[in-house]
Amino acid sequence: MTDDTTHRREWTVTGMDCAGCTAKVVRAVERMPGVRAARVALMAERLSVDLDPGTTRSDQIEAVVRALGYGIAPTVAVDDVPEQAVRPATGAEPSWYRTAKGRLVVLTGLLLALAWVFALLTPAGGGYAAFVAACLIGVAPVAWRAIAALRMGQPFTIESLMTIAAGGALLIGAAEEAALVVFLFAVGEVLEGVAAGRARQGIRALADLVPKTAMLEQSGGTRTVPADSLTIGQVVLIRPGDRIPADGDIIEGTSGIDESPVTGESVPQTRGVGDAVFAGAINTQAALRMRVTREPRDNTIARIIRLVEDAEDARAPTERFIDRFSRIYMPAIIALSALVILVPPLAFGQDWTTWIYRGLALLLIGCPCALVISVPASIASALSAGARRGLLMKGGAVIEAAARVTHVVFDKTGTLTRGRPVVTDLIPAPGVAEIDLLSIAAGVETGSGHPLAQAIVARAQAAGASVPASRDACALPGRGAVATVGGAPAWVTSPSHAAEAGGVDPAALSRVTALEEQGRTVVAVFRTGQPLGLIAMRDEPRPDAAAAIRQLSAMGLGATMLTGDNARTAAAIAGEIGLDHRAGMLPEDKLTAIRAMNRQGGVMMVGDGINDAPALKEARVGIAMGSGSDVALETADGALLRDHVTDAPAIIRLARATMGNIRQNVALALGLKAVFLVTTVMGVTGLWIAILADTGATVLVTLNALRLLAFDPTREA
């Protein structure tokens, strides 16, 4: 968050292919006067800068970024609320040969080919001159970027290593190899760019799910308007086969809605009047009329994209360690290369040319690009793969924590159960009519978003009961609610709380016990000193809840249900699903339980309600159900858009696969460097093999990370 005198500016930066690129931009911009903080999101190609007004101008920041060799264009100015910024949709990746790095490959390739032809057709001296020219022309833009970085206090960059190696090779007469190294370096950068572009396509594919136009109802007819111009409250017509242009509620019609483009749910869901639908889903059967409920910049797709993009700021601990390590590693490699060049000739009388050559090759092998990109490439692929299947995680730190989870805790209502309880029993107190019991209970619960409250209101409406006006409504966390109805206070609470307040007939408590043992939730309705009756409700477990617990058990993870419901109802539901449970828990009790479990190992909490927010925050990993409250979604570290309980083990499966992929990448990057470091010092491999090894390692690491895009965590291993 910026303070009152700091403004945030955002730019789109193109040409960044790896974490090393983002580090260069951040370090250069942070050195500028008045810059409080600079952040670069590689996958989103976004630079955000917190800037003191009246100091560095926007065009000066743009000049610095361009000097480093990247494209930059302003997007939007944001003050204190960057999450509300409207970000322009990015276009498709340009063809590789249309990029600056692609043109460099073509240029250096042609120069190298011409040099070889010239060497065949002319005396030896002429051929050497051709290779020198090819090397100098090809390395010139690289050297320019190295000089720009040096001026900004960054002497240790891949461009500087490349420039030193090419220049050194020319000095010792290895012009042909120098030209080849420059060409291979350019090819490697293009391959990195292509790989990074593929990773970005996952995010772009999400943005493309939202149609560009919508059929807006106006003045008794319809007209086609841009979808991003829709405002809350407008009504749109959605024909069969159309994509839904915005988040909204259906006000007319019933149809099958294919939500697979967003959630991965393969079977269309039937939606009718009053049901919420979201942008990007497909209307498969009948025409619908829908009222828009969210601005285009805040629809489901936009929020997913924003979450995936902003997740890059939440870097994994492994990534932060490797970043710190690389800052030490690169100067150490340069020092080692200097020792390789100086010690053998000075101490043992060895040939200078031989050891300069080997030292330069060692410089190229020592480039940390493959190591630095090993973690963020895997994280970005995992975030994209998860988002396509309705599994959202807010960054690498969440993925790493999820991979280490040993226990999963679930809320009951709305998480393990459908969250749509229905009234099953009405038990009015003597002298009280059922319709009056319903009427007063609905008056207390009107306006509440709790599933039990909505069930009572729905039953009252279905029974034709009049719902009296109420005021001073207040939730009693973990107990119920109270409001002034008909001029006097009325309560709808748990039977235990009602018993303490004299609000339940002692003779009715045995009936409460019997209903709760059947898995029903019972509430007592009463006024001051006057019991009005009991209302019993039943919320069925989600169909996949038992399968989710079975999957967790197969993965070696424990599972517990924490609920504010009574012990007998909790035991009945937990018994059906097959997990441990703790009942009668207030929000602070859940918080204490999570804290205690965290001391025994990593805990993931899955919940959906406002009351779950503290526990979601306290858990090592907090996951919100997609249908849950906005508070839960904002507090949690991730979300399950499909509302499938089996997506909880899926998110852990994805996290474990990601950490395995990261370990493979780190081993690959360091292993290749270790092998070629030894072979280079021994004189087995030379300059062009060195650059090929470095480029090859970077490309292999990136391609290995991209395998995660095809990984389906919803399938059991």
Side-chain angles (χ1 to χ4, degrees):
M1 178 67 71
T2 57
D3 61 32
D4 292 338
T5 61
T6 303
H7 299 290
R8 178 163 297 177
R9 297 289 181 265
E10 287 192 354
W11 291 265
T12 297
V13 179
T14 56
M16 299 184 299
D17 303 327
C18 68
C21 298
T22 66
K24 279 194 294 186
V25 172
V26 167
R27 291 169 192 165
V29 172
E30 283 184 338
R31 289 169 55 89
M32 304 182 75
V35 174
R36 296 285 188 90
R39 291 166 297 278
V40 172
L42 177 62
M43 290 299 105
E45 299 183 301
R46 187 178 73 250
L47 166 65
S48 302
V49 178
D50 295 338
L51 187 65
D52 290 336
T55 53
T56 300
R57 301 191 310 274
S58 296
D59 62 315
Q60 292 174 311
I61 293 175
E62 293 168 13
V64 164
V65 175
R66 289 193 186 98
L68 291 172
Y70 305 108
I72 182 170
T75 54
V76 66
V78 189
D79 293 338
D80 295 336
V81 284
E83 67 274 10
Q84 294 179 357
V86 181
R87 293 172 186 155
T90 53
E93 286 284 325
S95 301
W96 68 268
Y97 54 84
R98 294 182 181 273
T99 65
K101 293 177 180 179
R103 289 192 292 269
L104 181 60
V105 166
V106 174
L107 173 63
T108 54
L110 288 174
L111 290 172
L112 189 59
L114 289 173
W116 271 321
V117 171
F118 200 75
L120 291 173
L121 300 178
T122 60
Y128 180 80
F131 284 116
V132 170
C135 177
L136 291 175
I137 295 172
V139 85
V142 179
W144 180 258
R145 301 205 310 261
I147 292 169
L150 181 63
R151 287 174 177 170
M152 297 168 197
Q154 300 181 54
F156 304 119
T157 64
I158 178 58
E159 288 83 5
S160 63
L161 296 187
M162 186 65 229
T163 303
I164 293 170
L170 290 179
L171 289 176
I172 62 173
E176 183 175 355
E177 279 198 85
L180 181 58
V181 163
V182 171
F183 171 69
L184 290 175
F185 173 77
V187 170
E189 288 212 311
V190 166
L191 289 175
E192 288 176 16
V194 170
R198 284 193 59 189
R200 291 187 184 108
Q201 285 304 320
I203 297 175
R204 291 202 176 97
L206 286 173
D208 291 340
L209 290 176
V210 180
K212 304 302 180 187
T213 60
M215 296 189 67
L216 176 66
E217 290 194 354
Q218 215 170 42
S219 303
T222 61
R223 67 184 183 92
T224 301
V225 299
D228 58 10
S229 69
L230 294 175
T231 59
I232 294 174
Q234 289 184 324
V235 175
V236 295
L237 174 67
I238 308 164
R239 299 167 299 186
D242 285 354
R243 286 189 184 272
I244 296 172
D247 285 9
D249 292 334
I250 297 173
I251 59 174
E252 183 180 304
T254 300
S255 181
I257 303 297
D258 179 3
E259 300 172 347
S260 61
V262 181
T263 67
E265 176 61 67
S266 58
V267 180
Q269 305 296 306
T270 301
R271 301 283 187 254
V273 175
D275 288 336
V277 291
F278 50 77
I282 302 169
N283 178 22
T284 62
Q285 295 173 344
L288 299 172
R289 294 175 66 236
M290 182 196 79
R291 178 172 287 108
V292 177
T293 58
R294 288 187 186 271
E295 298 281 354
R297 66 183 182 185
D298 198 34
N299 65 35
T300 299
I301 296 293
R303 295 170 78 189
I304 293 173
I305 293 172
R306 191 156 57 239
L307 187 151
V308 175
E309 289 180 348
D310 292 345
E312 292 186 64
D313 290 335
R315 303 168 71 197
T318 302
E319 182 180 355
R320 291 196 295 269
F321 170 77
I322 288 178
D323 186 46
R324 291 194 301 270
F325 173 75
S326 67
R327 297 188 186 190
I328 302 170
Y329 167 87
M330 206 162 179
I333 285 293
I334 291 175
L336 180 60
S337 299
L339 290 175
V340 168
I341 291 171
L342 297 173
V343 172
L346 292 176
F348 304 104
Q350 299 285 320
D351 178 61
W352 277 99
T353 300
T354 298
W355 288 100
I356 289 174
Y357 181 89
R358 293 180 184 179
L360 293 174
L362 186 61
L363 264 186
L364 296 178
I365 289 172
C367 172
C369 285
L371 183 62
V372 171
I373 202 175
S374 60
V375 179
S378 298
I379 296 296
S381 295
L383 292 172
S384 181
R388 293 210 317 260
R389 293 168 177 85
L391 311 175
L392 301 185
M393 289 178 284
K394 297 179 181 178
V398 177
I399 291 176
E400 190 159 333
R404 297 175 178 172
V405 161
T406 60
H407 202 94
V408 181
V409 171
F410 295 92
D411 172 50
K412 180 178 76 71
T413 305
T415 301
L416 288 174
T417 62
R418 296 177 183 274
R420 296 178 183 174
V422 294
V423 173
T424 57
D425 301 87
L426 294 170
I427 309 167
V432 179
E434 282 190 3
I435 198 74
D436 294 331
L437 171 65
L438 270 177
S439 179
I440 293 173
V444 174
E445 299 288 20
T446 295
S448 172
H450 194 283
L452 296 179
Q454 293 176 341
I456 291 172
V457 173
R459 178 61 180 268
Q461 292 173 341
S466 60
V467 179
S470 62
R471 57 185 175 84
D472 303 326
C474 179
L476 305 174
R479 296 180 177 87
V482 60
T484 299
V485 180
W491 285 263
V492 177
T493 73
S494 64
S496 59
H497 178 73
E500 295 172 3
V504 62
D505 189 339
L509 290 177
S510 60
R511 188 71 182 274
V512 170
T513 301
L515 290 168
E516 289 177 345
E517 287 175 346
Q518 298 171 24
R520 290 170 167 80
T521 299
V522 182
V523 296
V525 185
F526 62 96
R527 290 188 183 275
T528 305
Q530 179 191 1
L532 298 177
L534 304 173
I535 300 177
M537 289 160 281
R538 168 83 180 186
D539 188 9
E540 296 295 332
R542 291 184 186 271
D544 65 336
I549 304 307
R550 177 181 53 77
Q551 290 181 27
L552 290 172
S553 178
M555 295 166 68
L557 301 172
T560 301
M561 179 179 78
L562 303 183
T563 177
D565 214 336
N566 65 84
R568 286 180 289 271
T569 299
I573 297 295
E576 287 185 41
I577 297 172
L579 79 167
D580 294 335
H581 71 280
R582 299 186 193 179
M585 304 194 79
L586 300 175
E588 54 267 30
D589 297 327
K590 291 184 180 181
L591 197 63
T592 302
I594 294 289
R595 192 171 290 140
M597 290 181 186
N598 268 336
R599 288 195 288 268
Q600 301 171 8
V603 175
M604 173 186 284
M605 167 72 183
V606 185
D608 73 310
I610 293 175
N611 287 349
D612 296 324
L616 289 170
K617 193 68 175 177
E618 180 65 27
R620 296 282 173 84
V621 182
I623 302 295
M625 302 297 280
S627 61
S629 68
D630 284 346
V631 173
L633 288 170
E634 292 299 325
T635 304
D637 300 306
L640 309 179
L641 286 186
R642 303 190 302 176
D643 283 341
H644 286 185
V645 187
T646 49
D647 282 349
I651 216 167
I652 297 173
R653 214 174 278 125
L654 176 60
R656 289 180 174 181
T658 303
M659 295 311 298
N661 189 275
I662 287 171
R663 287 190 289 270
Q664 294 167 9
N665 281 349
V666 172
L668 187 62
L670 291 179
L672 280 174
K673 289 187 183 300
V675 169
F676 283 101
L677 186 147
V678 173
T679 58
T680 297
V681 173
M682 294 175 62
V684 177
T685 53
L687 278 175
W688 71 273
I689 290 291
I691 192 65
L692 194 60
D694 174 68
T695 298
T698 303
V699 172
L700 285 175
V701 161
T702 306
L703 292 177
N704 186 50
L706 290 176
R707 290 192 307 112
L708 287 170
L709 292 173
F711 178 71
D712 186 357
T714 60
R715 293 183 179 179
E716 293 185 64

